[in-house]
Amino acid sequence: QVQLVESGGGLVQAGGSLRLSCEASGRTFSLYTMGWFRQAPGKERDFVSAISRSGGITYYSESVKGRFTISRDNAKNTVYLQMSSLKPEDTAVYYCAARMGSGSMSDREYAYWGQGTQVTVSS
């Protein structure tokens, strides 16, 4: 089992940047594919990005491709989401998630979740 804690959310103006972090504890971090999802008020939780266990393969939703970058540091048990050129429509609670298998864009494939961190982008 793994426990996940996100940090780094906040309020930022459109066009600005934020870096989210998700620190894992428990079982060996490098065993897990890591993902980021987000949920805006009144909407379903959507896939944002994922990264393979070694960090060599990354996945992005079309809405964030070219603006967001996912990375991980297995020595620090941490996955990051660097968000740039933020837009008001990026406003959501961002969740970190972990799964034992390969990369997936489906939240149902992830067994472990953090508590979420709020990102608000003002226009």
Side-chain angles (χ1 to χ4, degrees):
Q1 194 168 356
V2 63
Q3 293 78 43
L4 305 173
V5 178
E6 303 97 334
S7 61
L11 174 64
V12 63
Q13 287 189 332
S17 299
L18 279 176
R19 188 176 81 156
L20 305 183
S21 299
C22 172
E23 185 171 359
S25 60
R27 294 192 63 185
T28 305
F29 179 67
S30 60
L31 293 177
Y32 294 91
T33 291
M34 301 300 297
W36 286 97
F37 292 78
R38 66 187 182 186
Q39 188 168 23
K43 296 188 177 181
E44 294 184 351
R45 187 163 54 190
D46 290 332
F47 171 78
V48 175
S49 183
I51 188 167
S52 64
R53 285 165 283 192
S54 68
I57 302 173
T58 57
Y59 311 81
Y60 297 96
S61 68
E62 286 299 319
S63 62
V64 307
K65 195 174 293 183
R67 300 188 298 121
F68 291 10
T69 302
I70 191 170
S71 62
R72 67 189 296 163
D73 185 338
N74 286 346
K76 295 183 177 180
N77 292 350
T78 302
V79 61
Y80 305 97
L81 186 68
Q82 178 67 48
M83 305 185 294
S84 303
S85 301
L86 283 161
K87 305 174 181 180
E89 50 264 43
D90 294 318
T91 295
V93 177
Y94 283 71
Y95 296 92
C96 172
R99 70 184 302 265
M100 292 290 287
S102 59
S104 172
M105 298 184 181
S106 171
D107 60 353
R108 288 171 289 184
E109 299 289 331
Y110 289 79
Y112 306 104
W113 292 84
Q115 82 289 350
T117 186
Q118 176 71 46
V119 172
T120 303
V121 184
S122 63
S123 57

